[in-house]
Amino acid sequence: MLCISYNFIHYVKPSLELPGLFSVVRMRIASSADSSSNNSRSQMIMADSGSSDEVAVICNTDITSTESENNLINTMVERGTALLKKMEISVAEADKRTGKNTVNMQETYTVYLIETRPAESVSEEGTPAAPDTLWRRYSEFELLRTYLLVTYPYIIVPPLPEKRAEFVWHKLSADNLDPDFVERRRVGLENFLLRLASHPVLSNDNIFFLFLTEEKGWREAVLETGFQDKADSRLKSLSAMFRVKNPDKRFTALKHYSEDLSTVISQLLRIRARVADRLYGVYKVHANYGRVFSEWSAIEKEMGDGLQSAGHHMDTYAASIDDILEEEEHYADQLKEYLFYTEAVRSVCRKHELIQYELEMAAQDLSYKKQQKEELETGTVRIFSLKGMTSKLFGQETQEQRESKVAALEQSIQEGEDALKEKNAESQEFVEKAWNDIERFNEQKEKDLREALISYAIMQISMCKKGIQVWSNAKECFNKM
Amino acid sequence: MSVGAPRGLASSGQKLITEILHPLSAAEEPLSPGPDVTISAEKDKEPGLTNGTPVEISSPASASVLLSRLQLDGDPEADAHDPFGSGEPRDLFVTVDDPKKHVSTMETYITYRVSTKTTRIEFDLPEYSVRRRYQDFDWLRIKLEDSQPTHLVPPLPEKFVMKGVVDRFSEEFVDTRMKALDKFLKRVADHPVLSFNPHLNAFLTAKDLNKRQGLALLTKVGESVKNVAGGYKLRARPAEFCAMGEYLDTFSQKLGTIDRIAQRILREQSEYLTELREYGTVYSTWAGSEEQLQRPLEGVAGCVTTSCGALEDLSDNMSQDFLPVLREYILYIESMKNVLRKRDQVQAEYEGRLEAAVLRKQEDRTPIPVEVEKCQDKVECFNADLKADWERWQRNKRQDFKQLLTGMADKNISYYEKSQAAWESLITLLQEKQTEDKTSETN
């Protein structure tokens, strides 16, 4: 049984944890530890992951990490998810490079360091071995994803983090080179890789493996697969969408659901950004209290000290909003991931529509040919055709001519039947595989979003507690006035 | 000079005026360790005026001791209102409440019930209940100012409201105004001198205030009472009054700043609230298209709504309780500055007259006229009254602002507590669901 573990303490700032993934990943550690008979390895993993305190702190909640872990362990072990290589993966750093692009112009771009290490590697001193590393830029991630989309059209392929910052509230920079944005993107890319690595189907893909291990020559390897030829044209997909007659109702429902979800999450993100802006304003104005209390305290004797101290607390209050809102960005990132996921879902639905359409066309084509043959054989014209009319007008065909036509048709019909059979099989296989992945996705979505909501609630509670603390401190100072 | 003040005014005699305990410096309570304004050590020495008549200083302390045996049980609310009070047993309790709208052909206005409980002999009955409108309070204030120009009369809430801008009959406006009127009356009733003013008596007891005559008289009487000849230039304002003036200027400025900050916060909060409400509804919408996630999402929407309600409460409180008190103090300071200016004028007149008189004395040995002595008395009384009132005002101010600011802190704390409670119950709900799901799966 292959499994993946995740070492994040060294590389990821705790405050940037995505709790949704976090639990998914921690679950991995737990189950790999459970299912492994190699105690030293599981110990090493635990050692690698740092102290469990750090793990719990990240959650910043009263739920203990073990509780949360246990909540998920049973499910995952039961489902018997096909876990993957014994490999730790992380996107450790980001760096700037300049180079010549395809049109031979200088450009600056960011590269990300991918570190991988077999899960059981231990060096002589017993410390974890140094990881293998390579650098990738965002466009390579995009290429990987496009390849996977085409090669596995029945799979809901995990999305990449946004290329450009959207839904920003004013203080956040929309600049791609802004360090905070780069950092959040780094986390997003790591999340992407981990999702791939934990997917029962995608994790086994060789191109994916090469992406993680072969820096040079990977691009060529991808192109060699010829995946571009397999890609459906956009036009074909769209026309199928409009003309298909009997798509599977489940897919239709899923498509509508994903459209609704996309709309509502976009709305949510937009409003959340506005709310963040306003909240920022409310907090920051309080710094003015700090200043005026300080000035006022200068003319007071007994009241002076109390006022002055209270003023400091007002400054603290005003400053606290920065951290609060930065933390909230992670909630926004979790929502964004699922916003982007809806596109992947729609993509699978479109593929189904396309296959279904082709199936319908094949069936229609076959039935038309059969009818033609019947007409030729019986001489009745049921289907109006110019040929039929002309032959009626200008004399019948010879018996020989007719017989050769029938033979050709029979051949064609046989081919048609084969094609239909094939199409049917393709369609059924697609529906089965797709629906499998859809169910997996739904479960993942429910868990992740619920976790996200819980962590959001925790953030709100933390914000309230901070508020109460500061105002209580200020109140104490006022009381001493 | 001070019409209606029953207390004998300390004048020069055997002691320096400054050493004689002023009736208003309530003897019974320990003075706060030096007022916030530094008092110069050296007082203005009278240029050797003596009249040899010791005036009896009937301090309010002794009278109060007498009355305390007849004192009613304290109104706990009134006591809580003024724990920093003069320390004398209270024998006059006033309350303003019960606003009612009156509609007549000419106008519509609000009246308030003014209730009085007292053991003072100046009042015929122990209890009174009358209805008064804002105009009446305004009349009272003007009367007090005119009859006791050397004292600090508490301010009234603003008189004029732009008819289009503010709804004069809205519950909030009336309530805010009523509280301010109540505070005004309580401050007057607590004042050892002002509370014995016959105009106050009339205000509290008369069925109908006969104001018109008073008003007509006001202009003449007011002027003669405040009859200070202009055109005298003040030579040297005693340092303590300079300090008072400076303090008031700065304090007023700071209060103005605080007012602006509070208003700005209210505006920002209001905009935040608008966005927050919409934010909550989106979660509800989302819940509509989900199955398993429906309850958690509805839960989040509910928490956001609760937070909105709590925020609304906070904002309402701030605009109804915090801002009016702040503004009232700014008005208070303005009226105090007026009193200081009057004091300056009185001193200037005295100095001017004295200078003239001394010159004449030098020329032809004319003795210093009595008017000059009277002026000197005026100055000394004014200074003494003012100083005592100042100390009292400082104490009250400290108490008022302590209350105001801790109130503000409390309201904010309450807002966060409500919000926190909502989110915490949501987490319990969500986690219950999680364990529910787990157990149902393992089964």
Side-chain angles (χ1 to χ4, degrees), chain A residues 63 71 257 278 300 317 331 446 475, chain B residues 247 271 283 290 292 410 416 431 438:
Chain A
I63 317 172
N71 285 344
Y257 167 75
R278 294 293 173 208
E300 297 288 348
Y317 181 70
Y331 174 66
E446 302 266 331
K475 182 177 169 181
Chain B
Y247 174 83
E271 299 191 1
Y283 278 105
E290 293 287 342
Q292 295 276 40
D410 274 334
Y416 280 114
Q431 286 180 328
K438 289 313 146 254

mmCIF file with all atom_site columns, all heavy atoms in Angstrom, chain A residues 63 71 257 278 300 317 331 446 475, chain B residues 247 271 283 290 292 410 416 431 438:
data_model
loop_
_atom_site.group_PDB
_atom_site.id
_atom_site.type_symbol
_atom_site.label_atom_id
_atom_site.label_alt_id
_atom_site.label_comp_id
_atom_site.label_asym_id
_atom_site.label_entity_id
_atom_site.label_seq_id
_atom_site.pdbx_PDB_ins_code
_atom_site.Cartn_x
_atom_site.Cartn_y
_atom_site.Cartn_z
_atom_site.occupancy
_atom_site.B_iso_or_equiv
_atom_site.pdbx_formal_charge
_atom_site.auth_seq_id
_atom_site.auth_comp_id
_atom_site.auth_asym_id
_atom_site.auth_atom_id
_atom_site.pdbx_PDB_model_num
ATOM 1   N N   . ILE A 1 63  ? -10.478 22.660 19.497  1.00 0.00 ? 63  ILE A N   1
ATOM 2   C CA  . ILE A 1 63  ? -10.496 21.254 19.068  1.00 0.00 ? 63  ILE A CA  1
ATOM 3   C C   . ILE A 1 63  ? -9.067  20.768 19.071  1.00 0.00 ? 63  ILE A C   1
ATOM 4   O O   . ILE A 1 63  ? -8.213  21.405 18.502  1.00 0.00 ? 63  ILE A O   1
ATOM 5   C CB  . ILE A 1 63  ? -11.005 21.103 17.620  1.00 0.00 ? 63  ILE A CB  1
ATOM 6   C CG1 . ILE A 1 63  ? -12.214 21.993 17.368  1.00 0.00 ? 63  ILE A CG1 1
ATOM 7   C CG2 . ILE A 1 63  ? -11.281 19.664 17.304  1.00 0.00 ? 63  ILE A CG2 1
ATOM 8   C CD1 . ILE A 1 63  ? -12.603 22.013 15.932  1.00 0.00 ? 63  ILE A CD1 1
ATOM 9   N N   . ASN A 1 71  ? -11.462 12.074 13.815  1.00 0.00 ? 71  ASN A N   1
ATOM 10  C CA  . ASN A 1 71  ? -12.705 12.229 13.083  1.00 0.00 ? 71  ASN A CA  1
ATOM 11  C C   . ASN A 1 71  ? -12.574 11.724 11.666  1.00 0.00 ? 71  ASN A C   1
ATOM 12  O O   . ASN A 1 71  ? -13.519 11.238 11.079  1.00 0.00 ? 71  ASN A O   1
ATOM 13  C CB  . ASN A 1 71  ? -13.102 13.700 13.032  1.00 0.00 ? 71  ASN A CB  1
ATOM 14  C CG  . ASN A 1 71  ? -13.646 14.168 14.367  1.00 0.00 ? 71  ASN A CG  1
ATOM 15  O OD1 . ASN A 1 71  ? -13.989 13.341 15.203  1.00 0.00 ? 71  ASN A OD1 1
ATOM 16  N ND2 . ASN A 1 71  ? -13.719 15.447 14.577  1.00 0.00 ? 71  ASN A ND2 1
ATOM 17  N N   . TYR A 1 257 ? -25.816 22.411 -10.829 1.00 0.00 ? 257 TYR A N   1
ATOM 18  C CA  . TYR A 1 257 ? -25.311 22.646 -9.481  1.00 0.00 ? 257 TYR A CA  1
ATOM 19  C C   . TYR A 1 257 ? -23.982 23.385 -9.519  1.00 0.00 ? 257 TYR A C   1
ATOM 20  O O   . TYR A 1 257 ? -23.761 24.337 -8.772  1.00 0.00 ? 257 TYR A O   1
ATOM 21  C CB  . TYR A 1 257 ? -25.161 21.317 -8.731  1.00 0.00 ? 257 TYR A CB  1
ATOM 22  C CG  . TYR A 1 257 ? -24.350 21.462 -7.474  1.00 0.00 ? 257 TYR A CG  1
ATOM 23  C CD1 . TYR A 1 257 ? -24.891 22.063 -6.335  1.00 0.00 ? 257 TYR A CD1 1
ATOM 24  C CD2 . TYR A 1 257 ? -23.009 21.058 -7.413  1.00 0.00 ? 257 TYR A CD2 1
ATOM 25  C CE1 . TYR A 1 257 ? -24.136 22.238 -5.188  1.00 0.00 ? 257 TYR A CE1 1
ATOM 26  C CE2 . TYR A 1 257 ? -22.260 21.227 -6.272  1.00 0.00 ? 257 TYR A CE2 1
ATOM 27  C CZ  . TYR A 1 257 ? -22.820 21.820 -5.166  1.00 0.00 ? 257 TYR A CZ  1
ATOM 28  O OH  . TYR A 1 257 ? -22.066 21.994 -4.037  1.00 0.00 ? 257 TYR A OH  1
ATOM 29  N N   . ARG A 1 278 ? -14.252 47.401 4.748   1.00 0.00 ? 278 ARG A N   1
ATOM 30  C CA  . ARG A 1 278 ? -14.981 48.210 5.724   1.00 0.00 ? 278 ARG A CA  1
ATOM 31  C C   . ARG A 1 278 ? -14.478 47.969 7.128   1.00 0.00 ? 278 ARG A C   1
ATOM 32  O O   . ARG A 1 278 ? -14.312 48.891 7.913   1.00 0.00 ? 278 ARG A O   1
ATOM 33  C CB  . ARG A 1 278 ? -16.476 47.871 5.660   1.00 0.00 ? 278 ARG A CB  1
ATOM 34  C CG  . ARG A 1 278 ? -17.119 48.271 4.368   1.00 0.00 ? 278 ARG A CG  1
ATOM 35  C CD  . ARG A 1 278 ? -17.144 49.745 4.250   1.00 0.00 ? 278 ARG A CD  1
ATOM 36  N NE  . ARG A 1 278 ? -17.594 50.187 2.951   1.00 0.00 ? 278 ARG A NE  1
ATOM 37  C CZ  . ARG A 1 278 ? -17.211 51.335 2.413   1.00 0.00 ? 278 ARG A CZ  1
ATOM 38  N NH1 . ARG A 1 278 ? -16.390 52.117 3.062   1.00 0.00 ? 278 ARG A NH1 1
ATOM 39  N NH2 . ARG A 1 278 ? -17.681 51.665 1.232   1.00 0.00 ? 278 ARG A NH2 1
ATOM 40  N N   . GLU A 1 300 ? -4.079  66.556 31.972  1.00 0.00 ? 300 GLU A N   1
ATOM 41  C CA  . GLU A 1 300 ? -4.760  66.044 33.154  1.00 0.00 ? 300 GLU A CA  1
ATOM 42  C C   . GLU A 1 300 ? -3.761  65.590 34.199  1.00 0.00 ? 300 GLU A C   1
ATOM 43  O O   . GLU A 1 300 ? -2.663  65.164 33.876  1.00 0.00 ? 300 GLU A O   1
ATOM 44  C CB  . GLU A 1 300 ? -5.656  64.846 32.769  1.00 0.00 ? 300 GLU A CB  1
ATOM 45  C CG  . GLU A 1 300 ? -6.771  65.187 31.809  1.00 0.00 ? 300 GLU A CG  1
ATOM 46  C CD  . GLU A 1 300 ? -7.871  65.998 32.461  1.00 0.00 ? 300 GLU A CD  1
ATOM 47  O OE1 . GLU A 1 300 ? -7.894  66.103 33.704  1.00 0.00 ? 300 GLU A OE1 1
ATOM 48  O OE2 . GLU A 1 300 ? -8.710  66.540 31.716  1.00 0.00 ? 300 GLU A OE2 1
ATOM 49  N N   . TYR A 1 317 ? -5.560  47.873 19.326  1.00 0.00 ? 317 TYR A N   1
ATOM 50  C CA  . TYR A 1 317 ? -6.789  47.458 18.672  1.00 0.00 ? 317 TYR A CA  1
ATOM 51  C C   . TYR A 1 317 ? -6.722  47.739 17.184  1.00 0.00 ? 317 TYR A C   1
ATOM 52  O O   . TYR A 1 317 ? -7.011  46.890 16.352  1.00 0.00 ? 317 TYR A O   1
ATOM 53  C CB  . TYR A 1 317 ? -7.962  48.201 19.324  1.00 0.00 ? 317 TYR A CB  1
ATOM 54  C CG  . TYR A 1 317 ? -9.316  47.847 18.767  1.00 0.00 ? 317 TYR A CG  1
ATOM 55  C CD1 . TYR A 1 317 ? -9.891  46.606 19.002  1.00 0.00 ? 317 TYR A CD1 1
ATOM 56  C CD2 . TYR A 1 317 ? -10.034 48.774 18.024  1.00 0.00 ? 317 TYR A CD2 1
ATOM 57  C CE1 . TYR A 1 317 ? -11.141 46.289 18.510  1.00 0.00 ? 317 TYR A CE1 1
ATOM 58  C CE2 . TYR A 1 317 ? -11.292 48.469 17.529  1.00 0.00 ? 317 TYR A CE2 1
ATOM 59  C CZ  . TYR A 1 317 ? -11.848 47.229 17.771  1.00 0.00 ? 317 TYR A CZ  1
ATOM 60  O OH  . TYR A 1 317 ? -13.087 46.917 17.288  1.00 0.00 ? 317 TYR A OH  1
ATOM 61  N N   . TYR A 1 331 ? -9.082  31.563 4.294   1.00 0.00 ? 331 TYR A N   1
ATOM 62  C CA  . TYR A 1 331 ? -10.461 31.116 4.083   1.00 0.00 ? 331 TYR A CA  1
ATOM 63  C C   . TYR A 1 331 ? -10.868 31.444 2.661   1.00 0.00 ? 331 TYR A C   1
ATOM 64  O O   . TYR A 1 331 ? -11.447 30.622 1.955   1.00 0.00 ? 331 TYR A O   1
ATOM 65  C CB  . TYR A 1 331 ? -11.374 31.825 5.093   1.00 0.00 ? 331 TYR A CB  1
ATOM 66  C CG  . TYR A 1 331 ? -12.841 31.568 4.886   1.00 0.00 ? 331 TYR A CG  1
ATOM 67  C CD1 . TYR A 1 331 ? -13.387 30.299 5.059   1.00 0.00 ? 331 TYR A CD1 1
ATOM 68  C CD2 . TYR A 1 331 ? -13.690 32.604 4.521   1.00 0.00 ? 331 TYR A CD2 1
ATOM 69  C CE1 . TYR A 1 331 ? -14.729 30.064 4.881   1.00 0.00 ? 331 TYR A CE1 1
ATOM 70  C CE2 . TYR A 1 331 ? -15.046 32.375 4.352   1.00 0.00 ? 331 TYR A CE2 1
ATOM 71  C CZ  . TYR A 1 331 ? -15.562 31.108 4.536   1.00 0.00 ? 331 TYR A CZ  1
ATOM 72  O OH  . TYR A 1 331 ? -16.897 30.888 4.357   1.00 0.00 ? 331 TYR A OH  1
ATOM 73  N N   . GLU A 1 446 ? -17.589 18.141 0.566   1.00 0.00 ? 446 GLU A N   1
ATOM 74  C CA  . GLU A 1 446 ? -18.354 18.322 1.791   1.00 0.00 ? 446 GLU A CA  1
ATOM 75  C C   . GLU A 1 446 ? -17.423 18.479 2.985   1.00 0.00 ? 446 GLU A C   1
ATOM 76  O O   . GLU A 1 446 ? -17.584 19.377 3.812   1.00 0.00 ? 446 GLU A O   1
ATOM 77  C CB  . GLU A 1 446 ? -19.261 17.108 2.030   1.00 0.00 ? 446 GLU A CB  1
ATOM 78  C CG  . GLU A 1 446 ? -20.231 16.804 0.919   1.00 0.00 ? 446 GLU A CG  1
ATOM 79  C CD  . GLU A 1 446 ? -21.584 17.448 1.139   1.00 0.00 ? 446 GLU A CD  1
ATOM 80  O OE1 . GLU A 1 446 ? -21.946 17.632 2.307   1.00 0.00 ? 446 GLU A OE1 1
ATOM 81  O OE2 . GLU A 1 446 ? -22.260 17.761 0.144   1.00 0.00 ? 446 GLU A OE2 1
ATOM 82  N N   . LYS A 1 475 ? -10.808 49.312 29.445  1.00 0.00 ? 475 LYS A N   1
ATOM 83  C CA  . LYS A 1 475 ? -11.760 49.614 30.512  1.00 0.00 ? 475 LYS A CA  1
ATOM 84  C C   . LYS A 1 475 ? -11.053 49.714 31.861  1.00 0.00 ? 475 LYS A C   1
ATOM 85  O O   . LYS A 1 475 ? -11.340 50.606 32.667  1.00 0.00 ? 475 LYS A O   1
ATOM 86  C CB  . LYS A 1 475 ? -12.825 48.513 30.561  1.00 0.00 ? 475 LYS A CB  1
ATOM 87  C CG  . LYS A 1 475 ? -13.888 48.766 31.596  1.00 0.00 ? 475 LYS A CG  1
ATOM 88  C CD  . LYS A 1 475 ? -14.960 47.674 31.536  1.00 0.00 ? 475 LYS A CD  1
ATOM 89  C CE  . LYS A 1 475 ? -15.864 47.779 32.749  1.00 0.00 ? 475 LYS A CE  1
ATOM 90  N NZ  . LYS A 1 475 ? -16.884 46.735 32.748  1.00 0.00 ? 475 LYS A NZ  1
ATOM 91  N N   . TYR B 2 247 ? -6.595  75.344 30.116  1.00 0.00 ? 247 TYR B N   1
ATOM 92  C CA  . TYR B 2 247 ? -7.094  73.967 30.233  1.00 0.00 ? 247 TYR B CA  1
ATOM 93  C C   . TYR B 2 247 ? -8.396  73.806 29.457  1.00 0.00 ? 247 TYR B C   1
ATOM 94  O O   . TYR B 2 247 ? -8.565  72.855 28.690  1.00 0.00 ? 247 TYR B O   1
ATOM 95  C CB  . TYR B 2 247 ? -7.311  73.608 31.702  1.00 0.00 ? 247 TYR B CB  1
ATOM 96  C CG  . TYR B 2 247 ? -7.952  72.259 31.876  1.00 0.00 ? 247 TYR B CG  1
ATOM 97  C CD1 . TYR B 2 247 ? -7.195  71.098 31.845  1.00 0.00 ? 247 TYR B CD1 1
ATOM 98  C CD2 . TYR B 2 247 ? -9.341  72.138 32.013  1.00 0.00 ? 247 TYR B CD2 1
ATOM 99  C CE1 . TYR B 2 247 ? -7.783  69.851 31.969  1.00 0.00 ? 247 TYR B CE1 1
ATOM 100 C CE2 . TYR B 2 247 ? -9.931  70.903 32.131  1.00 0.00 ? 247 TYR B CE2 1
ATOM 101 C CZ  . TYR B 2 247 ? -9.150  69.763 32.120  1.00 0.00 ? 247 TYR B CZ  1
ATOM 102 O OH  . TYR B 2 247 ? -9.745  68.528 32.231  1.00 0.00 ? 247 TYR B OH  1
ATOM 103 N N   . GLU B 2 271 ? -21.369 51.483 7.294   1.00 0.00 ? 271 GLU B N   1
ATOM 104 C CA  . GLU B 2 271 ? -21.074 50.923 5.976   1.00 0.00 ? 271 GLU B CA  1
ATOM 105 C C   . GLU B 2 271 ? -20.690 49.459 6.095   1.00 0.00 ? 271 GLU B C   1
ATOM 106 O O   . GLU B 2 271 ? -21.077 48.634 5.261   1.00 0.00 ? 271 GLU B O   1
ATOM 107 C CB  . GLU B 2 271 ? -19.954 51.725 5.312   1.00 0.00 ? 271 GLU B CB  1
ATOM 108 C CG  . GLU B 2 271 ? -20.359 53.174 5.122   1.00 0.00 ? 271 GLU B CG  1
ATOM 109 C CD  . GLU B 2 271 ? -19.415 53.965 4.245   1.00 0.00 ? 271 GLU B CD  1
ATOM 110 O OE1 . GLU B 2 271 ? -18.445 53.386 3.758   1.00 0.00 ? 271 GLU B OE1 1
ATOM 111 O OE2 . GLU B 2 271 ? -19.683 55.153 4.072   1.00 0.00 ? 271 GLU B OE2 1
ATOM 112 N N   . TYR B 2 283 ? -24.724 33.533 2.102   1.00 0.00 ? 283 TYR B N   1
ATOM 113 C CA  . TYR B 2 283 ? -24.606 32.205 2.704   1.00 0.00 ? 283 TYR B CA  1
ATOM 114 C C   . TYR B 2 283 ? -25.940 31.474 2.692   1.00 0.00 ? 283 TYR B C   1
ATOM 115 O O   . TYR B 2 283 ? -26.017 30.272 2.448   1.00 0.00 ? 283 TYR B O   1
ATOM 116 C CB  . TYR B 2 283 ? -24.095 32.312 4.147   1.00 0.00 ? 283 TYR B CB  1
ATOM 117 C CG  . TYR B 2 283 ? -22.596 32.463 4.246   1.00 0.00 ? 283 TYR B CG  1
ATOM 118 C CD1 . TYR B 2 283 ? -22.028 33.691 4.558   1.00 0.00 ? 283 TYR B CD1 1
ATOM 119 C CD2 . TYR B 2 283 ? -21.741 31.385 4.034   1.00 0.00 ? 283 TYR B CD2 1
ATOM 120 C CE1 . TYR B 2 283 ? -20.655 33.832 4.655   1.00 0.00 ? 283 TYR B CE1 1
ATOM 121 C CE2 . TYR B 2 283 ? -20.362 31.521 4.130   1.00 0.00 ? 283 TYR B CE2 1
ATOM 122 C CZ  . TYR B 2 283 ? -19.830 32.746 4.438   1.00 0.00 ? 283 TYR B CZ  1
ATOM 123 O OH  . TYR B 2 283 ? -18.471 32.902 4.539   1.00 0.00 ? 283 TYR B OH  1
ATOM 124 N N   . GLU B 2 290 ? -27.394 23.356 -1.438  1.00 0.00 ? 290 GLU B N   1
ATOM 125 C CA  . GLU B 2 290 ? -26.587 22.272 -0.870  1.00 0.00 ? 290 GLU B CA  1
ATOM 126 C C   . GLU B 2 290 ? -27.452 21.303 -0.080  1.00 0.00 ? 290 GLU B C   1
ATOM 127 O O   . GLU B 2 290 ? -28.552 21.645 0.326   1.00 0.00 ? 290 GLU B O   1
ATOM 128 C CB  . GLU B 2 290 ? -25.509 22.854 0.061   1.00 0.00 ? 290 GLU B CB  1
ATOM 129 C CG  . GLU B 2 290 ? -24.454 23.679 -0.653  1.00 0.00 ? 290 GLU B CG  1
ATOM 130 C CD  . GLU B 2 290 ? -23.493 22.835 -1.468  1.00 0.00 ? 290 GLU B CD  1
ATOM 131 O OE1 . GLU B 2 290 ? -23.404 21.613 -1.230  1.00 0.00 ? 290 GLU B OE1 1
ATOM 132 O OE2 . GLU B 2 290 ? -22.837 23.413 -2.351  1.00 0.00 ? 290 GLU B OE2 1
ATOM 133 N N   . GLN B 2 292 ? -25.813 18.344 2.309   1.00 0.00 ? 292 GLN B N   1
ATOM 134 C CA  . GLN B 2 292 ? -25.127 18.145 3.576   1.00 0.00 ? 292 GLN B CA  1
ATOM 135 C C   . GLN B 2 292 ? -24.665 19.467 4.187   1.00 0.00 ? 292 GLN B C   1
ATOM 136 O O   . GLN B 2 292 ? -24.602 19.634 5.392   1.00 0.00 ? 292 GLN B O   1
ATOM 137 C CB  . GLN B 2 292 ? -23.886 17.260 3.342   1.00 0.00 ? 292 GLN B CB  1
ATOM 138 C CG  . GLN B 2 292 ? -24.209 15.858 2.905   1.00 0.00 ? 292 GLN B CG  1
ATOM 139 C CD  . GLN B 2 292 ? -24.503 14.975 4.096   1.00 0.00 ? 292 GLN B CD  1
ATOM 140 O OE1 . GLN B 2 292 ? -25.164 15.413 5.043   1.00 0.00 ? 292 GLN B OE1 1
ATOM 141 N NE2 . GLN B 2 292 ? -24.006 13.765 4.060   1.00 0.00 ? 292 GLN B NE2 1
ATOM 142 N N   . ASP B 2 410 ? -17.564 48.995 27.700  1.00 0.00 ? 410 ASP B N   1
ATOM 143 C CA  . ASP B 2 410 ? -18.544 47.946 27.988  1.00 0.00 ? 410 ASP B CA  1
ATOM 144 C C   . ASP B 2 410 ? -19.365 47.601 26.765  1.00 0.00 ? 410 ASP B C   1
ATOM 145 O O   . ASP B 2 410 ? -19.627 46.437 26.484  1.00 0.00 ? 410 ASP B O   1
ATOM 146 C CB  . ASP B 2 410 ? -19.493 48.406 29.111  1.00 0.00 ? 410 ASP B CB  1
ATOM 147 C CG  . ASP B 2 410 ? -18.930 48.112 30.482  1.00 0.00 ? 410 ASP B CG  1
ATOM 148 O OD1 . ASP B 2 410 ? -18.115 47.157 30.590  1.00 0.00 ? 410 ASP B OD1 1
ATOM 149 O OD2 . ASP B 2 410 ? -19.281 48.819 31.439  1.00 0.00 ? 410 ASP B OD2 1
ATOM 150 N N   . TYR B 2 416 ? -18.792 42.192 21.160  1.00 0.00 ? 416 TYR B N   1
ATOM 151 C CA  . TYR B 2 416 ? -17.941 41.039 20.831  1.00 0.00 ? 416 TYR B CA  1
ATOM 152 C C   . TYR B 2 416 ? -18.415 39.781 21.531  1.00 0.00 ? 416 TYR B C   1
ATOM 153 O O   . TYR B 2 416 ? -18.328 38.686 20.977  1.00 0.00 ? 416 TYR B O   1
ATOM 154 C CB  . TYR B 2 416 ? -16.487 41.335 21.208  1.00 0.00 ? 416 TYR B CB  1
ATOM 155 C CG  . TYR B 2 416 ? -15.766 42.174 20.192  1.00 0.00 ? 416 TYR B CG  1
ATOM 156 C CD1 . TYR B 2 416 ? -15.332 43.460 20.502  1.00 0.00 ? 416 TYR B CD1 1
ATOM 157 C CD2 . TYR B 2 416 ? -15.535 41.698 18.910  1.00 0.00 ? 416 TYR B CD2 1
ATOM 158 C CE1 . TYR B 2 416 ? -14.685 44.237 19.564  1.00 0.00 ? 416 TYR B CE1 1
ATOM 159 C CE2 . TYR B 2 416 ? -14.883 42.471 17.961  1.00 0.00 ? 416 TYR B CE2 1
ATOM 160 C CZ  . TYR B 2 416 ? -14.460 43.729 18.295  1.00 0.00 ? 416 TYR B CZ  1
ATOM 161 O OH  . TYR B 2 416 ? -13.807 44.505 17.368  1.00 0.00 ? 416 TYR B OH  1
ATOM 162 N N   . GLN B 2 431 ? -19.550 20.540 14.913  1.00 0.00 ? 431 GLN B N   1
ATOM 163 C CA  . GLN B 2 431 ? -18.764 19.400 15.365  1.00 0.00 ? 431 GLN B CA  1
ATOM 164 C C   . GLN B 2 431 ? -19.631 18.232 15.754  1.00 0.00 ? 431 GLN B C   1
ATOM 165 O O   . GLN B 2 431 ? -19.275 17.084 15.536  1.00 0.00 ? 431 GLN B O   1
ATOM 166 C CB  . GLN B 2 431 ? -17.867 19.814 16.529  1.00 0.00 ? 431 GLN B CB  1
ATOM 167 C CG  . GLN B 2 431 ? -16.714 20.637 16.041  1.00 0.00 ? 431 GLN B CG  1
ATOM 168 C CD  . GLN B 2 431 ? -15.807 21.050 17.163  1.00 0.00 ? 431 GLN B CD  1
ATOM 169 O OE1 . GLN B 2 431 ? -16.250 21.251 18.279  1.00 0.00 ? 431 GLN B OE1 1
ATOM 170 N NE2 . GLN B 2 431 ? -14.549 21.162 16.862  1.00 0.00 ? 431 GLN B NE2 1
ATOM 171 N N   . LYS B 2 438 ? -19.644 10.609 11.560  1.00 0.00 ? 438 LYS B N   1
ATOM 172 C CA  . LYS B 2 438 ? -18.639 9.550  11.750  1.00 0.00 ? 438 LYS B CA  1
ATOM 173 C C   . LYS B 2 438 ? -19.300 8.293  12.272  1.00 0.00 ? 438 LYS B C   1
ATOM 174 O O   . LYS B 2 438 ? -19.087 7.200  11.760  1.00 0.00 ? 438 LYS B O   1
ATOM 175 C CB  . LYS B 2 438 ? -17.563 9.967  12.750  1.00 0.00 ? 438 LYS B CB  1
ATOM 176 C CG  . LYS B 2 438 ? -16.611 11.038 12.262  1.00 0.00 ? 438 LYS B CG  1
ATOM 177 C CD  . LYS B 2 438 ? -16.066 10.770 10.868  1.00 0.00 ? 438 LYS B CD  1
ATOM 178 C CE  . LYS B 2 438 ? -15.869 12.066 10.129  1.00 0.00 ? 438 LYS B CE  1
ATOM 179 N NZ  . LYS B 2 438 ? -16.857 12.309 9.093   1.00 0.00 ? 438 LYS B NZ  1
#
